[in-house]
PDB file of all heavy atoms in Angstrom:
ATOM      1  N   ASP A   1      27.016 168.342  90.503  1.00 98.00           N
ATOM      2  CA  ASP A   1      27.690 169.274  91.404  1.00 98.00           C
ATOM      3  C   ASP A   1      28.927 168.618  92.011  1.00 98.00           C
ATOM      4  O   ASP A   1      29.954 169.264  92.210  1.00 98.00           O
ATOM      5  CB  ASP A   1      26.748 169.691  92.541  1.00 98.00           C
ATOM      6  CG  ASP A   1      25.456 170.302  92.046  1.00 98.00           C
ATOM      7  OD1 ASP A   1      25.526 171.209  91.204  1.00 98.00           O
ATOM      8  OD2 ASP A   1      24.380 169.864  92.490  1.00 98.00           O
ATOM      9  N   ILE A   2      28.790 167.336  92.328  1.00 98.00           N
ATOM     10  CA  ILE A   2      29.865 166.568  92.954  1.00 98.00           C
ATOM     11  C   ILE A   2      29.993 165.245  92.210  1.00 98.00           C
ATOM     12  O   ILE A   2      28.983 164.614  91.875  1.00 98.00           O
ATOM     13  CB  ILE A   2      29.580 166.310  94.446  1.00 98.00           C
ATOM     14  CG1 ILE A   2      29.378 167.629  95.193  1.00 98.00           C
ATOM     15  CG2 ILE A   2      30.714 165.497  95.081  1.00 98.00           C
ATOM     16  CD1 ILE A   2      28.947 167.454  96.634  1.00 98.00           C
ATOM     17  N   ILE A   3      31.234 164.822  91.954  1.00 98.00           N
ATOM     18  CA  ILE A   3      31.500 163.576  91.236  1.00 98.00           C
ATOM     19  C   ILE A   3      32.214 162.610  92.170  1.00 98.00           C
ATOM     20  O   ILE A   3      33.230 162.961  92.786  1.00 98.00           O
ATOM     21  CB  ILE A   3      32.377 163.839  90.000  1.00 98.00           C
ATOM     22  CG1 ILE A   3      31.656 164.787  89.030  1.00 98.00           C
ATOM     23  CG2 ILE A   3      32.751 162.527  89.305  1.00 98.00           C
ATOM     24  CD1 ILE A   3      32.562 165.372  87.972  1.00 98.00           C
ATOM     25  N   CYS A   4      31.678 161.394  92.289  1.00 98.00           N
ATOM     26  CA  CYS A   4      32.312 160.350  93.084  1.00 98.00           C
ATOM     27  C   CYS A   4      32.971 159.335  92.158  1.00 98.00           C
ATOM     28  O   CYS A   4      32.309 158.753  91.294  1.00 98.00           O
ATOM     29  CB  CYS A   4      31.294 159.637  93.958  1.00 98.00           C
ATOM     30  SG  CYS A   4      30.614 160.649  95.280  1.00 98.00           S
ATOM     31  N   GLU A   5      34.257 159.118  92.343  1.00 98.00           N
ATOM     32  CA  GLU A   5      34.986 158.076  91.619  1.00 98.00           C
ATOM     33  C   GLU A   5      34.891 156.799  92.423  1.00 98.00           C
ATOM     34  O   GLU A   5      35.277 156.773  93.592  1.00 98.00           O
ATOM     35  CB  GLU A   5      36.446 158.503  91.419  1.00 98.00           C
ATOM     36  CG  GLU A   5      37.324 157.457  90.755  1.00 98.00           C
ATOM     37  CD  GLU A   5      37.893 156.464  91.769  1.00 98.00           C
ATOM     38  OE1 GLU A   5      38.476 156.896  92.776  1.00 98.00           O
ATOM     39  OE2 GLU A   5      37.710 155.248  91.537  1.00 98.00           O
ATOM     40  N   ALA A   6      34.365 155.724  91.805  1.00 97.00           N
ATOM     41  CA  ALA A   6      34.133 154.475  92.537  1.00 97.00           C
ATOM     42  C   ALA A   6      34.548 153.271  91.704  1.00 97.00           C
ATOM     43  O   ALA A   6      33.847 152.258  91.653  1.00 97.00           O
ATOM     44  CB  ALA A   6      32.666 154.382  92.940  1.00 97.00           C
ATOM     45  N   PHE A   7      35.695 153.372  91.055  1.00 95.00           N
ATOM     46  CA  PHE A   7      36.209 152.290  90.227  1.00 95.00           C
ATOM     47  C   PHE A   7      37.120 151.368  91.030  1.00 95.00           C
ATOM     48  O   PHE A   7      37.728 151.780  92.020  1.00 95.00           O
ATOM     49  CB  PHE A   7      37.005 152.851  89.042  1.00 95.00           C
ATOM     50  CG  PHE A   7      36.203 153.681  88.076  1.00 95.00           C
ATOM     51  CD1 PHE A   7      36.697 154.890  87.616  1.00 95.00           C
ATOM     52  CD2 PHE A   7      34.972 153.254  87.626  1.00 95.00           C
ATOM     53  CE1 PHE A   7      35.973 155.653  86.714  1.00 95.00           C
ATOM     54  CE2 PHE A   7      34.231 154.002  86.727  1.00 95.00           C
ATOM     55  CZ  PHE A   7      34.738 155.209  86.268  1.00 95.00           C
ATOM     56  N   ASP A   8      37.265 150.128  90.555  1.00 87.00           N
ATOM     57  CA  ASP A   8      38.258 149.207  91.097  1.00 87.00           C
ATOM     58  C   ASP A   8      39.592 149.338  90.360  1.00 87.00           C
ATOM     59  O   ASP A   8      40.654 149.147  90.946  1.00 87.00           O
ATOM     60  CB  ASP A   8      37.780 147.750  90.974  1.00 87.00           C
ATOM     61  CG  ASP A   8      36.622 147.442  91.905  1.00 87.00           C
ATOM     62  OD1 ASP A   8      36.465 148.144  92.912  1.00 87.00           O
ATOM     63  OD2 ASP A   8      35.866 146.496  91.607  1.00 87.00           O
ATOM     64  N   ASP A   9      39.513 149.638  89.088  1.00 89.00           N
ATOM     65  CA  ASP A   9      40.686 149.631  88.220  1.00 89.00           C
ATOM     66  C   ASP A   9      41.507 150.916  88.368  1.00 89.00           C
ATOM     67  O   ASP A   9      40.964 152.028  88.266  1.00 89.00           O
ATOM     68  CB  ASP A   9      40.240 149.466  86.762  1.00 89.00           C
ATOM     69  CG  ASP A   9      41.415 149.380  85.815  1.00 89.00           C
ATOM     70  OD1 ASP A   9      42.012 148.295  85.706  1.00 89.00           O
ATOM     71  OD2 ASP A   9      41.748 150.409  85.193  1.00 89.00           O
ATOM     72  N   ALA A  10      42.812 150.776  88.588  1.00 89.00           N
ATOM     73  CA  ALA A  10      43.682 151.926  88.828  1.00 89.00           C
ATOM     74  C   ALA A  10      43.750 152.847  87.616  1.00 89.00           C
ATOM     75  O   ALA A  10      43.791 154.076  87.767  1.00 89.00           O
ATOM     76  CB  ALA A  10      45.081 151.448  89.203  1.00 89.00           C
ATOM     77  N   GLU A  11      43.774 152.280  86.416  1.00 93.00           N
ATOM     78  CA  GLU A  11      43.853 153.108  85.212  1.00 93.00           C
ATOM     79  C   GLU A  11      42.585 153.940  85.038  1.00 93.00           C
ATOM     80  O   GLU A  11      42.653 155.115  84.639  1.00 93.00           O
ATOM     81  CB  GLU A  11      44.101 152.237  83.982  1.00 93.00           C
ATOM     82  CG  GLU A  11      45.490 151.624  83.924  1.00 93.00           C
ATOM     83  CD  GLU A  11      45.743 150.888  82.623  1.00 93.00           C
ATOM     84  OE1 GLU A  11      44.887 150.973  81.714  1.00 93.00           O
ATOM     85  OE2 GLU A  11      46.795 150.241  82.512  1.00 93.00           O
ATOM     86  N   CYS A  12      41.429 153.342  85.331  1.00 94.00           N
ATOM     87  CA  CYS A  12      40.169 154.090  85.243  1.00 94.00           C
ATOM     88  C   CYS A  12      40.135 155.206  86.278  1.00 94.00           C
ATOM     89  O   CYS A  12      39.652 156.315  85.994  1.00 94.00           O
ATOM     90  CB  CYS A  12      38.991 153.146  85.439  1.00 94.00           C
ATOM     91  SG  CYS A  12      38.761 151.954  84.098  1.00 94.00           S
ATOM     92  N   LYS A  13      40.625 154.929  87.483  1.00 94.00           N
ATOM     93  CA  LYS A  13      40.692 155.949  88.524  1.00 94.00           C
ATOM     94  C   LYS A  13      41.534 157.133  88.057  1.00 94.00           C
ATOM     95  O   LYS A  13      41.141 158.295  88.197  1.00 94.00           O
ATOM     96  CB  LYS A  13      41.300 155.367  89.800  1.00 94.00           C
ATOM     97  CG  LYS A  13      40.394 154.420  90.567  1.00 94.00           C
ATOM     98  CD  LYS A  13      41.146 153.837  91.765  1.00 94.00           C
ATOM     99  CE  LYS A  13      40.264 152.967  92.642  1.00 94.00           C
ATOM    100  NZ  LYS A  13      39.273 153.747  93.394  1.00 94.00           N
ATOM    101  N   SER A  14      42.698 156.820  87.522  1.00 95.00           N
ATOM    102  CA  SER A  14      43.619 157.855  87.074  1.00 95.00           C
ATOM    103  C   SER A  14      43.019 158.666  85.927  1.00 95.00           C
ATOM    104  O   SER A  14      43.128 159.901  85.900  1.00 95.00           O
ATOM    105  CB  SER A  14      44.940 157.214  86.638  1.00 95.00           C
ATOM    106  OG  SER A  14      45.833 158.184  86.148  1.00 95.00           O
ATOM    107  N   MET A  15      42.390 157.984  84.985  1.00 96.00           N
ATOM    108  CA  MET A  15      41.773 158.660  83.846  1.00 96.00           C
ATOM    109  C   MET A  15      40.722 159.657  84.300  1.00 96.00           C
ATOM    110  O   MET A  15      40.720 160.817  83.894  1.00 96.00           O
ATOM    111  CB  MET A  15      41.155 157.628  82.909  1.00 96.00           C
ATOM    112  CG  MET A  15      40.402 158.191  81.710  1.00 96.00           C
ATOM    113  SD  MET A  15      38.652 158.610  82.037  1.00 96.00           S
ATOM    114  CE  MET A  15      37.968 156.985  82.378  1.00 96.00           C
ATOM    115  N   LEU A  16      39.815 159.214  85.167  1.00 97.00           N
ATOM    116  CA  LEU A  16      38.739 160.095  85.599  1.00 97.00           C
ATOM    117  C   LEU A  16      39.281 161.257  86.426  1.00 97.00           C
ATOM    118  O   LEU A  16      38.832 162.401  86.265  1.00 97.00           O
ATOM    119  CB  LEU A  16      37.714 159.310  86.408  1.00 97.00           C
ATOM    120  CG  LEU A  16      36.449 160.087  86.793  1.00 97.00           C
ATOM    121  CD1 LEU A  16      35.692 160.542  85.549  1.00 97.00           C
ATOM    122  CD2 LEU A  16      35.543 159.255  87.682  1.00 97.00           C
ATOM    123  N   THR A  17      40.234 160.980  87.293  1.00 97.00           N
ATOM    124  CA  THR A  17      40.840 162.048  88.097  1.00 97.00           C
ATOM    125  C   THR A  17      41.447 163.118  87.211  1.00 97.00           C
ATOM    126  O   THR A  17      41.233 164.318  87.412  1.00 97.00           O
ATOM    127  CB  THR A  17      41.902 161.468  89.038  1.00 97.00           C
ATOM    128  OG1 THR A  17      41.303 160.491  89.896  1.00 97.00           O
ATOM    129  CG2 THR A  17      42.529 162.569  89.892  1.00 97.00           C
ATOM    130  N   ASP A  18      42.209 162.705  86.207  1.00 97.00           N
ATOM    131  CA  ASP A  18      42.857 163.654  85.303  1.00 97.00           C
ATOM    132  C   ASP A  18      41.831 164.502  84.562  1.00 97.00           C
ATOM    133  O   ASP A  18      41.993 165.726  84.421  1.00 97.00           O
ATOM    134  CB  ASP A  18      43.737 162.912  84.293  1.00 97.00           C
ATOM    135  CG  ASP A  18      44.982 162.307  84.923  1.00 97.00           C
ATOM    136  OD1 ASP A  18      45.319 162.700  86.056  1.00 97.00           O
ATOM    137  OD2 ASP A  18      45.595 161.424  84.293  1.00 97.00           O
ATOM    138  N   ILE A  19      40.757 163.873  84.086  1.00 97.00           N
ATOM    139  CA  ILE A  19      39.746 164.598  83.320  1.00 97.00           C
ATOM    140  C   ILE A  19      39.007 165.605  84.187  1.00 97.00           C
ATOM    141  O   ILE A  19      38.815 166.767  83.809  1.00 97.00           O
ATOM    142  CB  ILE A  19      38.748 163.618  82.670  1.00 97.00           C
ATOM    143  CG1 ILE A  19      39.427 162.856  81.540  1.00 97.00           C
ATOM    144  CG2 ILE A  19      37.516 164.358  82.133  1.00 97.00           C
ATOM    145  CD1 ILE A  19      38.573 161.785  80.921  1.00 97.00           C
ATOM    146  N   VAL A  20      38.578 165.176  85.375  1.00 97.00           N
ATOM    147  CA  VAL A  20      37.828 166.087  86.244  1.00 97.00           C
ATOM    148  C   VAL A  20      38.697 167.264  86.670  1.00 97.00           C
ATOM    149  O   VAL A  20      38.264 168.423  86.615  1.00 97.00           O
ATOM    150  CB  VAL A  20      37.283 165.337  87.474  1.00 97.00           C
ATOM    151  CG1 VAL A  20      36.642 166.322  88.450  1.00 97.00           C
ATOM    152  CG2 VAL A  20      36.256 164.301  87.049  1.00 97.00           C
ATOM    153  N   LEU A  21      39.921 166.994  87.084  1.00 96.00           N
ATOM    154  CA  LEU A  21      40.782 168.069  87.564  1.00 96.00           C
ATOM    155  C   LEU A  21      41.190 169.023  86.463  1.00 96.00           C
ATOM    156  O   LEU A  21      41.323 170.233  86.693  1.00 96.00           O
ATOM    157  CB  LEU A  21      42.021 167.479  88.239  1.00 96.00           C
ATOM    158  CG  LEU A  21      41.778 166.651  89.500  1.00 96.00           C
ATOM    159  CD1 LEU A  21      43.094 166.210  90.118  1.00 96.00           C
ATOM    160  CD2 LEU A  21      40.953 167.417  90.519  1.00 96.00           C
ATOM    161  N   SER A  22      41.359 168.509  85.252  1.00 96.00           N
ATOM    162  CA  SER A  22      41.830 169.371  84.164  1.00 96.00           C
ATOM    163  C   SER A  22      40.701 170.035  83.380  1.00 96.00           C
ATOM    164  O   SER A  22      40.825 171.189  82.950  1.00 96.00           O
ATOM    165  CB  SER A  22      42.710 168.566  83.197  1.00 96.00           C
ATOM    166  OG  SER A  22      41.962 167.530  82.574  1.00 96.00           O
ATOM    167  N   GLU A  23      39.585 169.323  83.191  1.00 96.00           N
ATOM    168  CA  GLU A  23      38.527 169.837  82.328  1.00 96.00           C
ATOM    169  C   GLU A  23      37.271 170.279  83.071  1.00 96.00           C
ATOM    170  O   GLU A  23      36.409 170.946  82.504  1.00 96.00           O
ATOM    171  CB  GLU A  23      38.157 168.780  81.284  1.00 96.00           C
ATOM    172  CG  GLU A  23      39.338 168.393  80.385  1.00 96.00           C
ATOM    173  CD  GLU A  23      38.919 167.496  79.235  1.00 96.00           C
ATOM    174  OE1 GLU A  23      37.821 167.706  78.692  1.00 96.00           O
ATOM    175  OE2 GLU A  23      39.696 166.591  78.901  1.00 96.00           O
ATOM    176  N   MET A  24      37.147 169.903  84.343  1.00 97.00           N
ATOM    177  CA  MET A  24      35.977 170.305  85.132  1.00 97.00           C
ATOM    178  C   MET A  24      36.413 170.829  86.496  1.00 97.00           C
ATOM    179  O   MET A  24      35.991 170.330  87.546  1.00 97.00           O
ATOM    180  CB  MET A  24      35.034 169.103  85.292  1.00 97.00           C
ATOM    181  CG  MET A  24      34.410 168.644  83.987  1.00 97.00           C
ATOM    182  SD  MET A  24      33.395 167.134  84.161  1.00 97.00           S
ATOM    183  CE  MET A  24      34.680 165.896  83.959  1.00 97.00           C
TER     184      MET A  24
END
């Protein structure tokens, strides 16, 4: 229901943000 992004790496943060916002 809710996804928490908890990465240290900036590229991983950006990747997950883009996927969730665009595909979910």
Side-chain angles (χ1 to χ4, degrees):
D1 303 310
I2 303 174
I3 299 165
C4 292
E5 176 275 308
F7 297 134
D8 290 337
D9 183 80
E11 290 186 7
C12 292
K13 287 176 175 289
S14 178
M15 177 274 295
L16 186 61
T17 301
D18 289 344
I19 289 175
V20 174
L21 296 184
S22 63
E23 300 188 37
M24 294 175 273

